[in-house]
Amino acid sequence: MLGHLSFGVTDLDRAITFYDPVMAALGHVRLWQNERGAGYGPPGGNDRLALFLRPGAHPPGEGFHLAFRAESQAAVDAFHKAALAHGGADLGAPGLRPHYSPTYYAAFVTDPEGWKLEAVFQ
C-alpha cells in the first residue's frame, strides 16, 4: 500500500547514528545519503524510509507511529536493543501482545527526535 515514508529531522547525523543499527536489525541498510537526507530500505532495493534535514521538524502528536515488519521475534528483540543503545527510549519491551492477536510479537520505542516506532512479527 505505501511506497515510502519520509520524516523530517533536526539533526541528520544523530538520526543516521540511530537508524543505521536499528534498520540493520530489521534487515535494511542505508541506500543513499547526502547533506540533506538519507534513505533506508532492503539491500539492492528502493528506500522505504527517508530522513530529511528540516530545522523546524517535529513528530506528529498522539495517534501516530510507524510499524516496521520484522522477520522474526529475534529481529524485534534486536530492533529494541539497537534503539535503546543508540539514543532511543523504551515505549514497550519486546513481547507478545495478545490483545492485538495471539501471535503479535512487538516492541515500541521513540527515536532521538521523538518519532514513535514499532517492530512487529506475526
Side-chain angles (χ1 to χ4, degrees):
M1 177 158 127
L2 300 177
H4 69 274
L5 186 66
S6 299
F7 285 177
V9 297
T10 61
D11 185 331
L12 185 59
D13 290 334
R14 179 177 65 180
I16 288 170
T17 297
F18 176 83
Y19 281 95
D20 277 1
V22 169
M23 292 289 91
L26 299 174
H28 298 288
V29 297
R30 183 170 8 121
L31 297 168
W32 62 269
Q33 179 183 351
N34 60 39
E35 66 281 351
R36 296 183 322 252
Y40 294 87
N46 295 319
D47 66 349
R48 300 290 183 202
L49 175 64
L51 308 173
F52 290 103
L53 184 59
R54 301 286 188 263
H58 57 84
E62 291 297 316
F64 176 87
H65 80 276
L66 173 59
F68 296 106
R69 182 177 43 219
E71 296 299 322
S72 66
Q73 289 184 1
V76 172
D77 296 346
F79 160 89
H80 188 260
K81 182 177 180 179
L84 298 185
H86 293 91
D90 180 31
L91 291 181
L96 286 170
R97 303 299 197 276
H99 54 286
Y100 296 141
S101 86
T103 60
Y104 198 102
Y105 188 90
F108 300 85
V109 300
T110 60
D111 79 357
E113 302 230 3
W115 289 94
K116 294 178 182 178
L117 308 173
E118 173 186 2
V120 59
F121 172 72
Q122 297 184 72

